[in-house]
Amino acid sequence: MSEKSNRDHDADDANDRELINMEFESMVEGLSLDESSPSTYLDELENFVDQNRFIAPTPPRKSLSASFQSALSAFKKWKDAKTDRDDDGASL
């Protein structure tokens, strides 16, 4: 290549780089580098309204004899079940 074509090629590269730099600077000009905000994501989580959260029900307390009677009736129901399976209900 001749020396003249090398100079033209270098001038074109310089112009392209200058245009790219100018475009980049115009895009960055509108950005704010201040990352401080009045609240963070964790603050927003703390202030989240609890209306959509699951609240587990609290069953009423049973006396010892009532718990035993409930367990006994559940066992009898399981034992006297009329099914064609002789197992405990667990299957693979």
Side-chain angles (χ1 to χ4, degrees):
M1 273 196 218
S2 69
E3 196 172 303
K4 183 179 179 185
S5 66
N6 282 341
R7 276 185 272 150
D8 289 341
H9 185 65
D10 290 342
D12 289 341
D13 284 346
N15 286 339
D16 288 343
R17 273 187 251 131
E18 186 176 337
L19 287 173
I20 291 171
N21 286 340
M22 286 174 50
E23 188 171 337
F24 176 76
E25 287 174 10
S26 69
M27 287 190 299
V28 172
E29 207 171 272
L31 297 177
S32 172
L33 298 178
D34 181 21
E35 293 183 10
S36 63
S37 64
S39 66
T40 64
Y41 178 71
L42 295 176
D43 292 336
E44 291 175 17
L45 284 179
E46 286 178 2
N47 297 332
F48 185 72
V49 178
D50 290 338
Q51 69 185 8
N52 295 328
R53 293 191 180 179
F54 175 74
I55 299 172
T58 307
R61 294 187 62 94
K62 291 184 180 180
S63 66
L64 183 61
S65 62
S67 295
F68 182 73
Q69 289 296 327
S70 176
L72 187 60
S73 71
F75 178 75
K76 285 181 181 180
K77 184 178 177 184
W78 167 78
K79 181 79 170 135
D80 297 335
K82 303 293 183 204
T83 63
D84 57 345
R85 294 185 293 195
D86 288 340
D87 59 1
D88 62 354
S91 61
L92 297 175

